[in-house]
Amino acid sequence: MSSTTSSAAATVGGPLAGRRAVVSGAASGIGAAAVASFLAAGAEVVGLFHTTPPPDGLKEACDWVSCDVRVRGSVDTAFEQATSILGGLDVLLHAAGSWRPGTPESLSDDELDLVLDTNLRSTVLTNQAAFARMRHSGGQIINLGSAEGVRGNPLAPHYAVAKAGVHAWTRSVAAAWGRHGVTVNALAPAVSTPGAERLWEHLGPERAAAFQERLRTTMPLRGELGDPDTDLGPVMVFLAGTGAQFMTGQLIAVDGGLQMLGA
């Protein structure tokens, strides 16, 4: 059992005390790590989930609302319910997304639509819903980008395109919404997630082992994928707190130095 699902009690006080947060894709992976980290930092949290049910370790720790983040009506309804529960909204962490393999020459319309909708369209819809509730009081939006959206990926070109779109969207709305006191930043993590597991499965045992060996030689810190809770969780808490109030439009790599974005 991961640390995400083993302990998720809310902390009285803490760096996010009094902050009201919505986390999408909250039932697994980075989203579940965000819920646990935000609760431990003192925030009030509503988790959004779709096909994956909330894990046992988080099910009773906060409120949960069903949402298909690809559909505007579902997003609007979910945010209305979530902000009613919370009494407002200060933070959105949009973690919903999906990695799928594909090749540039054989990518079908259905494959393209699924990945673009799940990763890029969902970012637009959830960000719009959050901004509608933050525009008069300010807030912080954190999106999930990817180094694949910077360097490309021939094994998942549609995912790379979608994440590049998330980066461009993040910069665009950061410029537009800053005057309302709303910050918008994106993370490019390299941590163990269900998407990483799908990559290993797609590669097969031999190619996956070779990929992991390359990580050991090219990633300056540790040489392996990070942990969503202990490596990424503190960064998500920082971006949701007052320490990041003068940061916006940034793509921040949390990946052991694998992709040095400022270089």
Side-chain angles (χ1 to χ4, degrees), residues 116-185:
L116 288 178
D117 285 351
T118 305
N119 293 283
L120 178 55
R121 182 179 178 83
S122 69
T123 301
V124 173
L125 297 182
T126 56
N127 284 200
Q128 288 177 328
F131 175 69
R133 292 156 177 85
M134 294 177 174
R135 63 184 305 160
H136 299 300
S137 56
Q140 284 152 290
I141 296 173
I142 307 159
N143 293 321
L144 263 293
S146 171
E148 293 181 40
V150 177
R151 63 175 183 263
N153 186 355
L155 297 178
H158 46 345
Y159 181 80
V161 166
K163 290 302 185 178
V166 170
H167 304 164
W169 167 263
T170 296
R171 293 190 293 269
S172 298
V173 295
W177 296 346
R179 66 181 182 272
H180 298 280
V182 176
T183 68
V184 191
N185 293 291

Side-chain angles (χ1 to χ4, degrees), residues 20 25 55 89 126 129 132 149 176 194 206 259:
R20 301 161 297 183
L89 183 62
T126 56
E206 290 187 9
Q259 183 79 33

